[in-house]
Amino acid sequence: MARESFDKEVQLLRLLALAGGAYNRQQFAARLGISVHTYDKTMRYLKEMQSALKQPLSPEQESELSEGLRYNYYESADPLLLFLFRAKSLKESESVRLSTILTVLQDETLTAKELLDCCSETISADYPSPDEKTIRGDLRYLEEVGVIVRASDSRPYRYTAANRLINELSDDELLDLYDFVDVMANTQVPSVQGYLLRDTLKKALRKRGFDPSAVETHLYKYHYHSRILDEAHLHTIHRAIRERRRLHFVYHAPRKGKNYAAKNTNPLFEKEEQSKTQPLLPLRVVYDHQYGRWYLIGHTQRNAIAKFRMEGITQIEDGEVVTEEEFERHLSTVERQLAHSWVVDTLRPLKVVARFFNPERNGPNFIRDRVEAQGQWGTITEESDESFLYEIMVNGIYEIKPWLRSFGSSCEVLQPAWLRKEFIAEWKEIQAHYEPVRENI
C-alpha cells in the first residue's frame, strides 16, 4: 500500500473516469480547485506512472490519458485500482529500493547486511545510497504487509519472498485459484486487495508460460470502478475505529461541484476562504452496492450523527482518542438510528408494501430470487401463483425507491398511497416521452 497521501491524484483519476474528455484543462483545474499549471504537472506525473506500470500503448492511445486508462474495456478497472497502490505511489527512491529488495529475495534468502550490499551495487547513483537502518525499516514494512517472511529464527535474520503458496501449487491448481479470485474480485464488493491478488496471480501464470488472457473464462465490467478509489481511506478509517480515535479531514460535498482544494503554502497567494477541517469520531462504514458509493458514519463535536460520502473526503488525519464508554454510547445511537435504513437514511420509519409479479414463462423465478437476495429484512407473503407481497419498515423511501423502480412492470407499489401516486406520475411521464410525434404512426 502507498505510504504517502495522493488525494489530488485520486480525485483527478476519478474525474477522468467519470467525465473522460468532457472537460478541458481549465475546467478540470477549476473542478479540482488547483491551478492549470498544477493540473499539467499532475498529468505528466500520472503519464509517467502509466508508462512505467503498463505495456506501451499506441500513439493514439498515448495522446490522452483518459483514453489510455480505458484502452481495454474489461481491464479498465485495473489501472484506476492499482495505479496509485504500486511502486510509484511511494517516494521514487523508496520505490526503487523496495523493488530491488523484492527482486533479490525471489530466489535467495539474505540478511539485512547482504541486502544493503545488493542495494548499494544495484541502485543507480541518481538515488541516495541507503544505510543499514533504512534497509531494516524496509524489511519491517515488507514483513508487516506480508510480502516477505523470515527464513530463520536466529540472528542475523534471513529473509525471503513470501511465495510459498504459489510455488507449491500445481499448474491446474494455480489456474483454479486465478479463476476463483477473478470471479470474487469482480462479483463481490470490489476491492483493491482483490485486484492486487489477481494481478499477482497473473504474473505467476506468465512466469510459468501461461497467457492469462488465453485462459480467462469470464470477462467482467464493474460500472462504478472509479468509486473504488475511495477505498484508499478505508485502512485509516478502520484503524481509527479500532483505536477509538477521532479523524480530521476536509470534505467536499458532491453537490458543490468541487473535488479537491489546493493547500497553499505561500501567504501571498493564500485564498480568503480556506477549506474547513471536519472533526469526526468514525463509527461505521457503509457500502452502497447499487451505486458503488462508500459512506462514513460518525459522531460530530456538535453531538450529532453525520454521514459523508467518502469520495468527498481529502486530507484525512488521525485525531485524539476517546474513551470506550463514549465510543459505545455514540455507536449504540447510530445503530438505533440506522436500524431501518435501506442504506444510510435516518428519516422517520414508514411501512412500504409492494406486489411483485412472477415471470409468466416456466423456469427460474428470477423476480422472487432477486427480492429474497436484495430485500434485506423485508418479509414475503404468498398471494397467488402469479404474485407475492413484500413488506418492509424503512427509514424514508428515497433509498429504496430506485430499487423498487428497477423491477419495472414486475412491481406494483401498494403502500403508502402517496408513494403509489408518485410512481404512477413518474411512469406516465416516462410513457409520454415514448409517444409518437407523428399522427400517422
Side-chain angles (χ1 to χ4, degrees):
M1 285 301 218
R3 298 165 78 176
E4 291 185 346
S5 172
F6 41 86
D7 289 330
K8 179 173 56 182
E9 289 81 2
V10 166
Q11 297 298 339
L12 178 53
L13 284 175
R14 179 183 289 109
L15 284 178
L16 286 171
L18 296 177
Y23 295 153
N24 58 31
R25 292 164 58 244
Q26 289 77 14
Q27 290 170 327
F28 268 120
R31 189 69 185 263
L32 286 169
I34 61 178
S35 67
V36 176
H37 172 74
T38 304
Y39 167 80
D40 291 337
K41 182 179 178 182
T42 306
M43 286 294 287
R44 285 197 300 271
Y45 174 59
L46 291 175
K47 287 181 179 180
E48 289 174 0
M49 292 166 57
Q50 185 186 38
S51 62
L53 297 175
K54 296 196 67 62
Q55 296 296 323
L57 305 179
S58 67
E60 294 78 10
Q61 291 163 344
E62 287 179 343
S63 61
E64 291 291 339
L65 181 62
S66 58
E67 293 303 314
L69 292 173
R70 303 160 182 259
Y71 78 99
N72 184 334
Y73 182 78
Y74 290 102
E75 291 290 335
S76 60
D78 277 3
L80 289 170
L81 291 170
L82 306 179
F83 224 24
L84 301 174
F85 289 85
R86 291 180 179 167
K88 283 288 185 178
S89 60
L90 310 172
K91 292 179 181 177
E92 192 169 5
S93 60
E94 190 175 39
S95 168
V96 173
R97 197 171 61 246
L98 293 181
S99 299
T100 302
I101 293 174
L102 290 174
T103 301
V104 172
L105 292 182
Q106 293 297 317
D107 304 312
E108 299 181 69
T109 58
L110 301 174
T111 64
K113 289 186 177 180
E114 290 170 337
L115 286 168
L116 175 61
D117 294 337
C118 290
C119 289
S120 300
E121 295 173 359
T122 306
I123 294 178
S124 169
D126 297 335
Y127 302 103
S129 298
D131 54 22
E132 187 173 344
K133 181 180 179 181
T134 302
I135 295 296
R136 292 190 184 279
D138 292 338
L139 291 173
R140 282 194 299 270
Y141 169 67
L142 294 173
E143 188 177 13
E144 180 182 339
V145 298
V147 295
I148 66 171
V149 294
R150 291 184 184 179
S152 63
D153 295 327
S154 58
R155 294 180 182 275
Y157 298 125
R158 306 187 73 84
Y159 298 87
T160 188
N163 293 332
R164 182 179 176 184
L165 171 63
I166 294 177
N167 290 339
E168 291 185 355
L169 294 177
S170 65
D171 290 349
D172 290 340
E173 290 171 334
L174 185 60
L175 288 168
D176 288 343
L177 178 60
Y178 174 79
D179 288 339
F180 174 78
V181 172
D182 188 41
V183 171
M184 296 300 290
N186 286 283
T187 59
Q188 302 303 305
V189 177
S191 67
V192 170
Q193 286 83 358
Y195 283 100
L196 283 171
L197 178 56
R198 189 183 67 159
D199 192 57
T200 299
L201 293 174
K202 274 187 180 181
K203 293 178 181 177
L205 287 171
R206 290 193 186 98
K207 194 173 182 179
R208 296 193 185 188
F210 289 94
D211 180 5
S213 61
V215 297
E216 286 177 340
T217 56
H218 301 82
L219 293 175
Y220 304 92
K221 176 68 175 179
Y222 183 71
H223 293 289
Y224 301 107
H225 61 260
S226 66
R227 309 285 188 190
I228 309 170
L229 289 168
D230 304 327
E231 193 181 320
H233 294 312
L234 284 184
H235 177 73
T236 302
I237 292 172
H238 285 155
R239 185 185 66 219
I241 292 175
R242 288 195 306 270
E243 297 177 357
R244 310 318 194 212
R245 184 183 296 277
R246 295 186 190 276
L247 291 174
H248 299 269
F249 54 84
V250 174
Y251 184 67
H252 301 279
R255 64 178 179 273
K256 292 184 178 179
K258 192 173 182 180
N259 299 60
Y260 180 79
K263 293 181 285 186
N264 294 305
T265 57
N266 190 332
L268 296 175
F269 297 95
E270 207 165 1
K271 296 181 180 179
E272 293 181 5
E273 293 185 8
Q274 290 295 323
S275 300
K276 189 175 180 181
T277 301
Q278 299 273 359
L280 183 80
L281 177 62
L283 301 168
R284 279 285 182 267
V285 173
V286 178
Y287 182 71
D288 180 3
H289 198 283
Q290 185 171 3
Y291 290 106
R293 294 172 181 160
W294 292 97
Y295 290 90
L296 171 61
I297 316 296
H299 182 268
T300 67
Q301 291 183 332
R302 296 181 180 178
N303 200 31
I305 300 300
K307 297 168 284 186
F308 298 94
R309 273 172 50 178
M310 212 174 295
E311 66 195 80
I313 295 176
T314 62
Q315 302 175 35
I316 188 168
E317 296 178 356
D318 289 334
E320 64 277 10
V321 176
V322 302
T323 63
E324 184 71 24
E325 180 184 0
E326 180 181 357
F327 180 88
E328 291 297 334
R329 184 174 70 252
H330 296 321
L331 179 60
S332 63
T333 301
V334 165
E335 290 178 340
R336 186 170 61 252
Q337 291 191 16
L338 296 179
H340 295 100
S341 299
W342 187 256
V343 183
V344 294
D345 216 340
T346 52
L347 298 175
R348 178 176 61 86
L350 53 84
K351 184 178 181 180
V352 175
V353 181
R355 175 182 290 123
F356 287 90
F357 298 94
N358 297 318
E360 295 181 0
R361 60 183 181 274
N362 295 329
N365 189 340
F366 59 89
I367 298 295
R368 178 66 175 263
D369 292 344
R370 185 180 166 198
V371 173
E372 290 179 346
Q374 301 175 356
Q376 303 201 57
W377 59 92
T379 58
I380 295 175
T381 305
E382 297 294 344
E383 189 178 40
S384 67
D385 292 340
E386 290 79 24
S387 64
F388 59 91
L389 294 179
Y390 169 80
E391 300 181 15
I392 189 171
M393 288 293 297
V394 65
N395 290 348
I397 56 90
Y398 297 104
E399 293 178 340
I400 194 176
K401 190 175 179 180
W403 181 73
L404 294 171
R405 189 191 295 117
S406 68
F407 285 89
S409 60
S410 297
C411 174
E412 177 189 5
V413 175
L414 303 178
Q415 296 181 27
W418 58 268
L419 178 60
R420 178 181 175 85
K421 292 179 180 178
E422 279 190 12
F423 268 89
I424 292 173
E426 288 177 3
W427 287 119
K428 285 183 177 180
E429 181 181 356
I430 294 173
Q431 182 186 25
H433 288 298
Y434 290 91
E435 289 182 350
V437 294
R438 287 171 49 189
E439 295 182 356
N440 60 344
I441 294 183

